[in-house]
Amino acid sequence: MGHFVLRTKNGYDFLEVASALQKSIRRDDVVVAAFFGVELWQSGYGNYLWKRLYTISAEDCWGLITHEIDALHNGYELVNKGSKEPKGRIFIGKAIILLCECYKSRDADHLNNLAVDKLALTDPQILAALDDARREPLEVPEYTFDIHTKKGRKMGKTKAQFFHDEHEALSPRLPGLFDNLVP
């Protein structure tokens, strides 16, 4: 009996797209992040996309960026109220750009893992950038595959590698409270 794989509109593995989105934001790779963010949105996963953007804002970003993501989500909800077709892609684009460009810190996630797992470890421009990113399909980046993806687990990726690789990939990065504990 085969394993069911949820696919996006263009045939990508849903979980790989979600992972690529978050990891590209960590790396300040706005083109890849926009491509996979719009891929989720156009595939009918807008609600999931917003949940993921909120999570990224708390898990990977320093400061009060979650307030900005909340404001953008409110704007998105407002323009979609009563609409039969999804609108407001501009709010998604701006959220992705802000998340890419803000300082990164995984302190909240590190704290959770240390405490729980006890581990020692201008609008037209935005639209143009999104349209450019959608013109040609992208390969799912290699950094997508880690302990959180089926393919990454098959490749033997570990949680320790994840902590190290994702911490090193943060861009731009501020020094964090737990940096000395990350292998």
Side-chain angles (χ1 to χ4, degrees), residues 8-173:
T8 64
K9 179 181 173 184
N10 291 308
Y12 290 100
D13 178 310
F14 171 83
L15 295 174
E16 290 178 3
V17 170
S19 182
L21 170 70
Q22 186 159 4
K23 288 177 179 64
S24 58
I25 287 173
R26 284 183 188 147
R27 288 161 174 79
D28 189 18
D29 190 344
V30 71
V31 172
V32 172
F35 180 88
F36 287 114
V38 172
E39 179 70 17
L40 287 169
W41 182 73
Q42 288 184 332
S43 299
Y45 302 120
N47 288 337
Y48 173 83
L49 172 60
W50 279 107
K51 289 176 187 178
R52 191 69 175 219
L53 294 175
Y54 272 106
T55 298
I56 293 167
S57 76
E59 192 171 90
D60 295 318
C61 299
W62 180 83
L64 302 174
I65 191 67
T66 304
H67 289 292
E68 186 65 23
I69 301 308
D70 195 46
L72 290 166
H73 181 252
N74 288 340
Y76 176 84
E77 290 290 315
L78 180 66
V79 300
N80 276 291
K81 191 173 185 174
S83 177
K84 292 180 182 172
E85 293 296 317
K87 296 178 181 179
R89 188 176 71 176
I90 191 69
F91 295 99
I92 293 167
K94 186 167 183 177
I96 289 171
I97 289 169
L98 289 174
L99 290 169
C100 282
E101 292 184 349
C102 73
Y103 283 108
K104 307 303 188 301
S105 171
R106 293 191 37 81
D107 282 348
D109 192 51
H110 288 167
L111 178 61
N112 273 323
N113 283 286
L114 289 166
V116 176
D117 297 336
K118 297 180 176 80
L119 298 175
L121 309 172
T122 76
D123 292 346
Q125 290 173 318
I126 294 169
L127 285 173
L130 287 170
D131 287 340
D132 286 346
R134 298 293 305 158
R135 284 203 176 97
E136 291 193 28
L138 295 175
E139 293 291 326
V140 175
E142 211 43 48
Y143 58 67
T144 300
F145 308 110
D146 65 14
I147 190 71
H148 297 97
T149 65
K150 183 178 178 182
K151 188 172 180 178
R153 288 187 296 277
K154 281 186 176 180
M155 296 165 65
K157 300 290 184 160
T158 66
K159 193 157 190 177
Q161 281 176 301
F162 165 77
F163 269 100
H164 176 267
D165 294 349
E166 293 308 303
H167 178 72
E168 290 301 315
L170 296 176
S171 174
R173 179 175 76 200

